[in-house]
Amino acid sequence: MSDHFLILIPDELSYVPEIHAQDKMLQLLRSFGFDDDMIQMTTSESVQFIDQGANFEHILCPLCKNELQLEQWQLLMDAAYRTGFAQLEVVVPCCSQSTSLNDLIYQWPAGFARFRIEIFNPSSDINETQMHVLETALGYKARKIWRHI
Ligand SMILES: [Zn+2]
């Protein structure tokens, strides 16, 4: 048995929508056919890394498009973790340029956030039109993460 989660996070990692915006998103998700017991909205005190689980393939540098070695990425993550992910700016070893851990190209997508919506074992995807409506309610562009465990 394996489970998958469809996770939405705002593209601004410290952003937490107001309660009425969260309610609006819950109503929208219901109207898209997702049941309440499949949907969980979480706000954490600090920024967390929202990973893709078994859907991890590789990580590319957004600047030179080279692949980051996992050990190199882990070192950068460890340093950022010690700041409570308050400091995500890093100098990538591939091209010695500055970027953010949140801007690395994760295949499949992953990201950093305080607020997330998780949909447990959805039978369907959220299409582009639905995404746009959700983003309007959220007040931000959102990143879609498929976590497979
Ligand atoms: Zn690079």
Side-chain angles (χ1 to χ4, degrees):
M1 274 298 290
S2 66
D3 290 315
H4 63 282
F5 297 81
L6 172 53
I7 307 170
L8 301 175
I9 60 172
D11 233 0
E12 163 55 50
L13 49 91
S14 59
Y15 180 73
V16 177
E18 306 272 339
I19 290 296
H20 70 265
Q22 297 187 24
D23 286 345
K24 174 73 180 162
M25 284 185 285
L26 184 59
Q27 286 169 27
L28 287 168
L29 290 168
R30 283 177 189 143
S31 75
F32 300 161
F34 301 111
D35 296 333
D36 275 14
D37 57 3
M38 299 167 62
I39 305 166
Q40 187 173 343
M41 297 196 188
T42 305
T43 301
S44 54
E45 275 303 305
S46 56
V47 171
Q48 298 192 337
F49 181 60
I50 315 298
D51 69 83
Q52 67 291 74
N55 284 334
F56 176 87
E57 288 171 4
H58 56 249
I59 303 166
L60 302 180
C61 170
L63 303 165
C64 71
K65 304 292 192 286
N66 275 308
E67 185 171 345
L68 242 75
Q69 297 307 308
L70 212 49
E71 308 81 66
Q72 296 173 329
W73 176 73
Q74 195 62 58
L75 281 175
L76 298 173
M77 282 292 280
D78 287 348
Y81 181 76
R82 286 194 290 274
T83 72
F85 291 137
Q87 176 53 268
L88 296 178
E89 291 300 314
V90 293
V91 174
V92 280
C94 40
C95 56
S96 301
Q97 298 187 79
S98 289
T99 184
S100 162
L101 286 169
N102 199 36
D103 293 335
L104 300 179
I105 302 168
Y106 295 92
Q107 298 286 351
W108 298 11
F112 292 82
R114 280 190 60 204
F115 175 77
R116 63 182 185 272
I117 303 170
E118 292 168 287
I119 305 168
F120 179 68
N121 282 335
S123 53
S124 62
D125 195 354
I126 292 174
N127 67 35
E128 259 182 59
T129 310
Q130 293 169 333
M131 219 24 206
H132 185 72
V133 178
L134 276 172
E135 285 173 333
T136 302
L138 175 66
Y140 252 100
K141 290 286 286 179
R143 192 181 294 194
K144 200 194 273 185
I145 298 169
W146 285 97
R147 178 191 288 154
H148 188 87
I149 56 170

